[in-house]
Each structure stands twice: as C-alpha cells, then as structure tokens.
Amino acid sequence: LTWLSCVPLLALGQAPLLVSGILEAMNTGAPATTREQLSELATALAWTIPTALLAVGYPLVRNLGTALARLALVVPTRRQLALGLAVAVALVVLMDPLTLLISLVWNWLGWPVSPAESVERLFARNLNPVGAVVMGITAGLSEELLCRGVLQPRLGLLLPNLFFTALHAYQYNFDGLLTVFILGLAFGVLRTRANTSVCALVHGLYDFLVVMITILE
C-alpha cells in the first residue's frame, strides 16, 4: 500500500491532486457549509474507526475493551493532555522554519517542490474555523488510529511512518513528504512514550493550528 500510494507521484513527478481536474471539481470557489464539513467528518470516521477495530481482532478475538486497549485508545491523563498541548505548539513553531529549509535545499538541488498555492487550493473549501476542527479530528484520529494504533505496535516506528507519509503522496511532492515523515516520527516517538489518544490529540491540534494560522494570515 505504501508503494502503490507513491506510484502516481513517481510516474508524474508531482503530486497528482495538484494538477488534475479532480481538484477543480472539488473546489468550485464556494466554501463548504458546516453541514458538509460535519458530513465529511462523519464519513471519514465511519470507516476508519471500524477498520482499526477489525484490524486488531474485534469482535473475533478481542472484545471492545481489549481492542481499544490494543489500539491504546484510552482516556489521557491531565499530564498527557498538557504534554500533548505543549508538543503540538512546539511542532507548529519548529516545522515552519524546517519546511522553509527543506524548500531551500530542494530549490538549490533543482528538484520540483510542492507549489504552495496548489496546496492552499486543495484545502480552500475548509479554510474556516469549523473546517479547521474537522480536518484536525479527521486526520488526527483516523491516521493515528491506523498508523500508530494498529501498525506501530506490530511493525515498529519506521514502516508505519513510511505508510503514513505515503498517504500524503497525493497532496505533496517529495519535499512535502519529507516534512510529513519528520512529523510522523514525532508522533511515533510520542506513541512509545504515551498512547494513541495523545498522538491523535497532538496531530489534530497541530493541523487545527496550522489551518487557523493560514486563515488569519
């Protein structure tokens, strides 16, 4: 799955969603309504949460409680909540200059970079506070459940993070994927120190803050 996700990027030399007619079909210029955004959230969670539960053996070999424990989807402590908040803010502060550095290196090497305007167009429908919440919950919970909850306890830190990175190959070029890979490493390390709930919190809060900063700029 990791390999197949990267095939279009390798074949085209650029992220396919940024150059296809699909993008224009998605973004008609009108922002998504709150109802549409909540529908997108429900649709995403309606398949990712059952998929994660099935992947760890529910209901055949685990009941709901043990399946959630296997996923490390537990109620975080106050200390973990504070840690998650601090890590999310730190990532927002640190990733911006790191992304700029990666872009400078890519330009110096003459490699194609992810066009910022195209990435913004990709998320234009949801560039509002409700959209920021929806994107934070959708990406934070869905991706962390599958990558850090299901895969990491079985496959370790690297392979699940490669899969996590490949999921974004439809949005970004390799410069953007390197940024995603670094973020994924941070989430993976956090998973080893805490649980999937904290990873989902940090991931979701990070995405929320990035979108809100984009809105306010």
Side-chain angles (χ1 to χ4, degrees):
L1 286 173
T2 299
W3 169 246
L4 289 175
S5 297
C6 293
V7 166
L9 176 57
L10 293 168
L12 295 173
Q14 52 191 333
L17 278 183
L18 304 184
V19 294
S20 70
I22 297 174
L23 186 60
E24 281 70 26
M26 290 172 56
N27 296 320
T28 60
T33 65
T34 299
R35 182 175 180 177
E36 289 172 334
Q37 291 170 332
L38 294 178
S39 177
E40 292 170 5
L41 172 62
T43 301
L45 298 184
W47 74 266
T48 52
I49 293 177
T51 298
L53 289 170
L54 288 170
V56 298
Y58 175 80
L60 297 178
V61 297
R62 285 188 170 98
N63 60 32
L64 184 58
T66 55
L68 292 174
R70 162 63 178 80
L71 291 169
L73 192 63
V74 298
V75 178
T77 65
R78 290 183 180 180
R79 183 175 181 179
Q80 289 172 340
L81 288 173
L83 173 65
L85 176 61
V87 171
V89 172
L91 286 175
V92 170
V93 173
L94 294 174
M95 290 308 297
D96 191 46
L98 181 59
T99 300
L100 176 60
L101 176 61
I102 291 172
S103 295
L104 291 174
V105 172
W106 247 247
N107 284 318
W108 179 69
L109 293 171
W111 295 345
V113 299
S114 305
E117 65 278 4
S118 297
V119 175
E120 289 178 5
R121 284 169 56 212
L122 181 61
F123 300 107
R125 280 184 80 243
N126 297 313
L127 286 182
N128 53 64
V130 174
V133 172
V134 167
M135 284 193 281
I137 295 175
T138 302
L141 187 55
S142 300
E143 294 174 2
E144 295 309 308
L145 263 181
L146 297 175
C147 297
R148 255 62 68 173
V150 174
L151 298 178
Q152 185 166 317
R154 291 289 186 185
L155 302 177
L157 181 62
L158 181 60
L159 288 178
N161 194 42
L162 287 174
F163 177 61
F164 168 72
T165 303
L167 292 175
H168 297 78
Y170 299 100
Q171 301 168 208
Y172 306 112
N173 216 314
F174 287 106
D175 59 320
L177 294 184
L178 178 57
T179 301
V180 173
F181 182 81
I182 294 170
L183 275 171
L185 285 179
F187 300 147
V189 171
L190 192 61
R191 170 67 178 86
T192 64
R193 302 295 179 89
N195 49 58
T196 305
S197 300
V198 175
C199 293
L201 171 67
V202 173
H203 187 163
L205 186 56
Y206 172 84
D207 285 357
F208 169 79
L209 292 174
V210 169
V211 173
M212 288 303 298
I213 290 171
T214 302
I215 294 171
L216 295 173
E217 285 180 343

